Amino acid sequence: MTEVTKKTPKLPEAGQWPDRIAPAVLVVGIVLSTIGFLLAFLWASPVNGAGVNGAEMIGGQMVTNVVLLSQKIFYFHMPVAITSFVALGFAGYYAVRFLMTRNRRFDTCSKIAMEIALLFVACTMITGDLWTRFEWGVWWTWDPRLTTYLILMLIIIAYFILRNAIDEPERRATFGAVLSIIALIDVPICFMVTRLIPSSIHPVVVREGGMSGDMGITLMFCLAGIAMIGFALYRLRFRQVRLTERVEVLKEQLED
């Protein structure tokens, strides 16, 4: 009887207190992001270069936009990029915890964080491409920041391809943890490349002091809202996965 009890899989928890507040956090995040969107287009003042008179040569292309949209895209591009970095930070942290303890719960946390990171990395690439088009006149350029971030996205995609290719759970979790850590290592490179390579055409807004008070307030609304959305999506997804695991364990117990 004791041997049978030892072989019985541990029943995952049904939920934690962050799961209960996740829906409310999601709503607040959407509201703050909407306010930030309205502030960006209706209140925040334009920066130098946000408008052109007639036609001007930008990034080797002739641009005739009356108001360049790159400034408005910035209010969402920067927050989704920061949120993707935070998600990757948690993914790497839980990956290290899994390698140290072999606790499957940490593998689940790391995998979900990578899912959230992939979502926000995709949003960053989309807004970044739009920014590139309106700011530099091209859809893509091999700027150091863009290139390192593209490498980061490819690492995350490789992470999910690898997990789907390995059937054995322990090996799948181990290799996935290693790739999560590699992705995390690329984060400071992406962040610091514009400071390490002065020739980079990607702006360094904070260092250059390029934001006025109204721009900073607008950015804070967008950043807070998008960060809350990221947190809520993580907790909702985590609860879904844990409940699925709980059902699987209950089925195994009933079959035994």
Side-chain angles (χ1 to χ4, degrees), residues 36-77:
F37 177 85
L38 295 174
L39 291 176
F41 282 89
L42 301 178
W43 182 61
S45 59
V47 296
N48 294 331
V52 298
N53 295 319
E56 294 186 14
M57 187 68 70
I58 299 178
Q61 298 290 326
M62 192 63 68
V63 178
T64 59
N65 302 72
V66 177
V67 177
L68 300 181
L69 294 180
S70 58
Q71 179 207 2
K72 307 303 180 181
I73 296 171
F74 159 78
Y75 294 112
F76 305 95
H77 175 71

Side-chain angles (χ1 to χ4, degrees), residues 56-125:
E56 294 186 14
M57 187 68 70
I58 299 178
Q61 298 290 326
M62 192 63 68
V63 178
T64 59
N65 302 72
V66 177
V67 177
L68 300 181
L69 294 180
S70 58
Q71 179 207 2
K72 307 303 180 181
I73 296 171
F74 159 78
Y75 294 112
F76 305 95
H77 175 71
M78 182 178 176
V80 293
I82 292 176
T83 304
S84 71
F85 289 157
V86 173
L88 287 168
F90 279 103
Y93 166 75
Y94 285 121
V96 172
R97 292 292 303 275
F98 170 77
L99 293 176
M100 294 175 60
T101 64
R102 297 294 170 174
N103 188 331
R104 293 290 301 280
R105 184 180 187 276
F106 293 133
D107 174 56
T108 301
C109 292
S110 180
K111 180 175 75 71
I112 296 172
M114 288 292 282
E115 292 176 356
I116 302 302
L118 179 60
L119 172 63
F120 283 94
V121 163
C123 291
T124 304
M125 291 298 293

Side-chain angles (χ1 to χ4, degrees), residues 85 145 148-150 152 185-194:
F85 289 157
R145 170 68 66 84
T148 53
Y149 203 82
L150 175 63
L152 178 63
I185 293 173
D186 193 36
V187 168
I189 298 175
C190 292
F191 183 77
M192 295 298 297
V193 68
T194 53

